[in-house]
């Protein structure tokens, strides 16, 4: 499959200065990380509110820790895929690609992206509910005892954004700035249903960005996209990089 890029997209790629890649769970799917809403979606088996919320955590911290440990185990066994790596290649071609990710799996950083904004935190980090002290991934439940803070005895929780929680202010501000000044926003692997993150591609488009969506299925964002490339990120993004290289060498004439 060779996505024939529209002449509009080709001209955007030929001169794009500010590129933002807005990513969701779908870009990590080919690494083997389950998405939330797909057929293998982790929310198929359990309700997100029970697990990815403060109430859920306080009601059953052991279950929530077990869920995050399960996801950490998966993430420690997987590697970034060709989709993550294509965004790194794009960064080399354009000098900078700002990755605004909803994912907590650290795969963009592991792939080598140098500008990653984590809207929903990072599963490798934890912090104390009592005093806010940060703890790393080595903090794990021992014999089902929930990790507590050696400083103040408070409960330690994963450093991720749960439902009903504010996004980290600095990450949000940085993401809004990047999306507001993007020439091209590539939305990859997100169903676009969780707010306020899902408002970012819309804001970018309204601020004048060319909105490109990469997803094997249409989403709520597709009607707004200037171009929709239907397919998995691991195939589409490397092809996009290949077309950019050919555009650069003139092998792909703009028509
Ligand atoms: C907040 C971290 C308030 C934790 C996550 C009603 C209407 C509107 C909003 C709300 C509402 N009720 C409640 C809300 C607010 C709520 C929300 O939006 N709920 C939704 C469900 C309706 N939002 C919040 O609570 C946020 N906070 O609003 O605070 C507030 C305001 C002021 C003051 C105080 C508080 C916080 C939300 C953050 C939740 N945390 N993750 C963790 O991971 O455990 S959300 C989680 O799901 C992800 O981070 C991501 O953001 C989100 C969506 O997932 P996606 O990444 O899109 O993945 P999904 O599975 O859905 O889709 C995968 C896609 O990939 C699919 O399209 C598929 O086709 C595609 N795909 C599959 N394979 C591939 C592929 N694409 C490419 N290649 C492939 N190979
Ligand atoms: Zn503490």
């Amino acid at each position: 499959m060779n996505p024939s890029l529209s002449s509009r997209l080709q001209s955007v790629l030929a001169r794009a200065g500010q590129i933002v890649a807005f990513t969701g769970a779908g870009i990590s799917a080919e690494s083997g990380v389950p998405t939330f809403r797909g057929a293998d979606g982790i929310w198929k088996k359990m309700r997100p509110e029970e697990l990815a919320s403060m109430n859920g955590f306080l009601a059953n911290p052991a279950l929530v820790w077990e869920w995050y440990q399960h996801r950490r185990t998966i993430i420690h066994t997987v590697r970034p895929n060709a989709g993550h790596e294509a965004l790194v290649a794009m960064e080399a071609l354009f000098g900078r690609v700002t990755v605004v990710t909803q994912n907590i799996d650290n795969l963009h950083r592991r792939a080598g992206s140098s500008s990653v904004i984590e809207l929903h935190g990072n599963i490798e980090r934890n912090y104390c509910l009592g005093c806010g002290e940060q703890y790393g991934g080595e903090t794990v439940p021992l014999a089902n005892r929930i990790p507590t803070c050696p400083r103040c005895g408070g409960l330690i929780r994963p450093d991720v954004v749960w439902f009903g929680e504010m996004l980290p202010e600095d990450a949000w501000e940085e993401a809004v700035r990047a999306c507001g000044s993007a020439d091209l926003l590539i939305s990859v692997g997100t169903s676009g249903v969780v707010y306020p993150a899902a408002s970012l591609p819309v804001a970018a488009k309204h601020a004048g960005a060319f909105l490109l969506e990469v997803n094997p299925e249409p989403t709520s964002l597709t009607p707004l996209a200037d171009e929709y490339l239907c397919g998995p990120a691991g195939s589409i993004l490397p092809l996009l990089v290949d077309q950019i290289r050919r555009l650069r060498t003139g092998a792909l004439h703009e028509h």
Side-chain angles (χ1 to χ4, degrees):
M1 139 200 49
N2 208 351
S4 62
L5 308 183
S6 68
S7 51
R8 276 191 66 211
L9 177 54
Q10 286 186 44
S11 57
V12 168
L13 288 170
R15 64 176 64 86
Q18 301 282 340
I19 298 181
V20 169
F22 177 73
T23 69
I27 197 168
S28 299
E30 289 158 275
S31 292
V33 183
T35 62
F36 291 92
R37 293 175 183 78
D40 67 341
I42 37 183
W43 286 346
K44 280 269 172 303
K45 306 174 189 75
M46 43 194 83
R47 282 164 20 84
E49 290 73 20
E50 278 160 27
L51 292 162
S53 75
M54 179 63 95
N55 291 341
F57 178 67
L58 294 176
N60 194 339
L63 174 68
V64 173
W65 260 106
E66 189 188 331
W67 185 49
Y68 280 95
Q69 286 309 99
H70 167 66
R71 290 172 65 192
R72 275 190 181 110
T73 309
I74 294 172
I75 286 163
H76 291 159
T77 58
V78 302
R79 291 178 30 73
N81 64 59
H84 298 102
E85 287 157 1
L87 293 182
V88 179
M90 278 185 76
E91 188 177 317
L93 285 166
F94 289 97
R96 181 187 175 83
V97 169
T98 303
V99 177
V100 177
T101 188
Q102 302 168 85
N103 300 339
I104 62 172
D105 59 28
N106 215 29
L107 288 178
H108 285 298
R109 282 220 179 80
R110 283 179 54 193
S113 284
S114 58
S115 170
V116 181
I117 300 172
E118 292 170 323
L119 295 175
H120 292 156
N122 186 314
I123 200 167
E124 304 294 1
R125 293 195 309 262
N126 304 289
Y127 68 87
C128 169
L129 271 179
C131 65
E133 179 78 5
Q134 293 265 341
Y135 291 93
E138 72 290 345
T139 302
V140 292
L142 292 174
N144 276 338
R145 262 176 42 76
I146 310 300
T148 50
C149 175
R151 275 186 46 180
C152 76
L155 270 184
I156 295 178
R157 58 162 283 179
D159 187 6
V160 298
V161 178
W162 282 333
F163 285 103
E165 294 188 325
M166 294 278 280
L167 278 57
E169 208 164 319
D170 47 354
W172 178 251
E173 298 294 327
E174 217 186 319
V176 168
R177 239 189 339 272
C179 294
S181 57
D183 303 307
L184 170 64
L185 185 137
I186 310 173
S187 177
V188 188
T190 182
S191 57
V193 298
V194 172
Y195 286 83
S199 64
L200 289 170
V202 180
K205 164 92 181 172
H206 290 162
F210 185 99
L211 182 55
L212 168 63
E213 182 178 34
V214 176
N215 197 314
E217 288 164 29
T219 70
S220 50
L221 201 62
T222 310
L224 196 68
D226 293 290
E227 190 136 351
Y228 165 51
L229 296 177
C230 179
S235 317
I236 297 280
L237 290 179
L239 287 171
L240 191 61
V241 169
D242 178 51
Q243 305 256 26
I244 294 166
R245 288 201 176 104
R246 286 145 56 86
L247 267 175
R248 292 280 174 95
T249 57
L252 190 69
H253 301 295
E254 282 191 55
H255 35 269

